[in-house]
Amino acid sequence: MVEFSMVRTIERTRRGEPLGAEAVRALVAGITQGTIPDYQTAAWLMAVLWRGLTPDDLTTLTIAMARSGATLDLSSIGHPIADKHSTGGVGDKATLVVAPIVAACGVPVAKMSGRGLGHTGGTVDKLESIPGFNPELTVATFTDVLRRCDLVIAGQSADLAPADGILYALRDVTGTVPSIPLIASSIMAKKLAIGADAILLDVKVGRGAFMETMADATALAETMVRIGTDAGKRTAAVISDMDRPLGRAVGNALEVIEAVETLRGGGPDDLRSLALHEAALLLVMTGKAVDEAAGARMAERAIASGAAFERFAAVVGAQGGDRRALEETARLPHAPIVQSVPAPESGFIAEIEPLAIGRAAMRLGAGRARKGDTIDPAVGIVLRATVGERVERGAPLFDIHARDATQAATVRADALAGYRFSAEPAIVPPLIKTTIPASIC
Ligand code: URA
């Protein structure tokens, strides 16, 4: 056994050489235990940013990060367990729709989710808008809710993959966040620690997403799928459009309402079609459906029969939430002011810049500018017309749900600046760009 040297590890990474499993495990142990100083870890992160890691080293790194803290043992549940992750986008409430559909089809779904930061909201923040809902579960309660409801959606436990917490904090202050291998290992370490058998990743691409280009989104999706597969998990990724908000509602309680509408057979077309596609893939990955078409039919039946909505209401109740708020959404937090903004011109909506809407919602209080900021569950923006649709001048374009009129006025112009109109019908880009591996479809 060669003694571990951090200097040698940095040098090898800088030269693009393989590190070997032993060195990678020693590196993660040293980072977790605090025996490697931050300046050396920071230098190593910068070397990874420039040179990457070999596929084997990256998988070893991710598994070691996953094992750096508590891992869940879900083996007592007895069926293949599904997990779904989105890299985050404006109005992305798809998890609230996909997870109950899949659970209603008999596949348990175990989901731990981080809180939102910036213009993208977190699933847990949305759920917390339901009065009484508790996302902070002990491991025992997490497993118990999963066993009773075939579904659990909790906040990320603090002791999940602590090596990732240390690395992320250093990446944040050393300009090393935008590295595909580091992002992939960070996301996948937390997925592997939860221990689901089938992991579906929704990698958003576009101006409202972490990955702005198709090349970057594809590289991230392929890297995560390879790590998951090498770690023995059935893993797939959907790359979906984030050049416009998903659905019409942006803001926590507003998004819960839209998710409930979709679970009850209504909701916007784009959210419904993405949710059906993702649910169908998870049903194929867990062996419930023979192919995507069969999975989509099962998912549609789960919506039409009311089973998917019932599953969502059951998990909300099991986690302390007021399930009556899902039947009577007037029980959810409501903003005191709803200001309708009219279309400034007639024409087809060619573009709704997702960042303009996401940032406006964040400034209303729907998102966090900084970690630890408090969220206002009631506020946000609801699009009354979306990309591809025709509007007449003066017709409602979007509604601002705000605490007061002054607050509404401060975001109105910025949100409006995100719209582009055209005289001709606009070409709406496909919502689902591709699925990796293609053989899953
Ligand atoms: N989300 C994560 O969990 N980690 C990253 O590095 C980026 C996004």
Side-chain angles (χ1 to χ4, degrees), residues 114-127:
R115 291 184 185 279
L117 188 60
H119 62 278
T120 66
T123 299
V124 161
D125 298 314
K126 301 179 211 285
L127 285 167

Side-chain angles (χ1 to χ4, degrees), residues 280 283-284 289-299 301:
L283 293 171
V284 173
V290 286
D291 57 25
E292 197 197 331
R297 283 194 298 275
M298 285 176 79
R301 278 198 300 273

Side-chain angles (χ1 to χ4, degrees), residues 50-128:
W50 285 107
R51 302 305 304 256
L53 288 170
T54 66
D56 284 352
D57 285 346
L58 185 58
T59 300
T60 308
L61 173 77
T62 310
I63 294 172
M65 285 164 68
R67 292 182 181 158
S68 66
T71 53
L72 298 189
D73 177 8
L74 302 176
S75 56
S76 67
I77 303 296
H79 302 281
I81 294 171
D83 188 0
K84 182 220 163 233
H85 177 85
S86 164
T87 56
V90 178
D92 183 9
K93 70 289 284 175
T95 296
L96 299 183
V97 184
V98 174
I101 293 176
V102 173
C105 294
V107 175
V109 181
K111 169 89 187 129
M112 274 194 193
S113 181
R115 291 184 185 279
L117 188 60
H119 62 278
T120 66
T123 299
V124 161
D125 298 314
K126 301 179 211 285
L127 285 167
E128 275 186 324

Side-chain angles (χ1 to χ4, degrees), residues 208-228:
F210 205 37
M211 297 291 125
E212 290 191 30
T213 66
M214 200 52 198
D216 282 347
T218 306
L220 178 62
E222 286 177 347
T223 306
M224 292 196 290
V225 169
R226 215 210 46 252
I227 292 172

Side-chain angles (χ1 to χ4, degrees), residues 99-433:
I101 293 176
V102 173
C105 294
V107 175
V109 181
K111 169 89 187 129
M112 274 194 193
S113 181
R115 291 184 185 279
L117 188 60
H119 62 278
T120 66
T123 299
V124 161
D125 298 314
K126 301 179 211 285
L127 285 167
E128 275 186 324
S129 69
I130 303 169
F133 184 88
N134 176 21
E136 310 297 339
L137 305 183
T138 62
V139 170
T141 313
F142 185 90
T143 318
D144 181 53
V145 174
L146 179 60
R147 188 173 293 110
R148 285 194 287 133
C149 301
D150 268 353
L151 175 59
V152 59
I153 309 177
Q156 212 154 271
S157 103
D159 49 2
L160 200 76
D164 175 58
I166 298 166
L167 284 172
Y168 195 89
L170 276 173
R171 287 167 59 203
D172 212 16
V173 292
T174 55
T176 52
V177 168
S179 145
I180 301 271
L182 293 177
I183 297 168
S185 58
S186 167
I187 293 173
M188 290 305 290
K190 289 169 287 207
K191 299 283 109 191
L192 297 181
I194 293 164
D197 307 285
I199 303 167
L200 182 65
L201 306 153
D202 181 355
V203 178
K204 300 286 184 202
V205 62
R207 287 162 299 169
F210 205 37
M211 297 291 125
E212 290 191 30
T213 66
M214 200 52 198
D216 282 347
T218 306
L220 178 62
E222 286 177 347
T223 306
M224 292 196 290
V225 169
R226 215 210 46 252
I227 292 172
T229 308
D230 288 353
K233 307 293 181 183
R234 273 158 273 169
T235 313
V238 172
I239 300 184
S240 68
D241 184 66
M242 192 31 72
D243 264 328
R244 65 195 132 144
L246 179 65
R248 302 208 170 198
V250 180
N252 298 282
L254 296 167
E255 292 190 42
V256 168
I257 294 171
E258 189 167 86
V260 166
E261 285 165 2
T262 310
L263 283 169
R264 303 192 103 167
D269 290 346
D270 58 349
L271 175 60
R272 182 179 163 88
S273 65
L274 182 66
L276 287 175
H277 178 62
E278 294 187 343
L281 292 179
L282 275 171
L283 293 171
V284 173
M285 291 162 74
T286 50
K288 270 279 165 191
V290 286
D291 57 25
E292 197 197 331
R297 283 194 298 275
M298 285 176 79
E300 277 170 7
R301 278 198 300 273
I303 291 178
S305 67
F309 172 74
E310 185 44 45
R311 196 56 60 135
F312 186 49
V315 82
V316 164
Q319 292 187 224
D322 180 1
R323 50 177 290 168
R324 291 170 307 171
L326 307 180
E327 311 265 0
E328 303 159 41
T329 49
R331 290 176 181 268
L332 289 169
H334 274 70
I337 295 280
V338 180
Q339 198 180 86
S340 183
V341 178
E345 57 186 281
S346 297
F348 291 91
I349 301 178
E351 244 179 50
I352 305 176
E353 161 70 64
L355 276 184
I357 303 297
R359 287 192 178 136
M362 187 183 82
R363 281 171 46 215
L364 289 168
R368 295 183 184 83
R370 272 178 304 274
K371 229 172 158 172
D373 283 356
T374 315
I375 276 191
D376 184 338
V379 298
I381 290 181
V382 176
L383 311 179
R384 299 282 295 274
T386 193
V387 178
E389 293 175 356
R390 186 177 165 81
V391 286
E392 300 306 322
R393 183 165 188 259
L397 195 58
F398 58 88
D399 292 338
I400 302 175
H401 295 240
R403 275 288 132 206
D404 54 51
T406 316
Q407 194 192 40
T410 59
V411 303
R412 184 187 167 110
D414 288 346
L416 203 49
Y419 281 75
R420 201 169 61 73
F421 299 88
S422 68
E424 301 302 320
I427 296 167
V428 182
L431 175 64
I432 297 161
K433 310 280 189 194

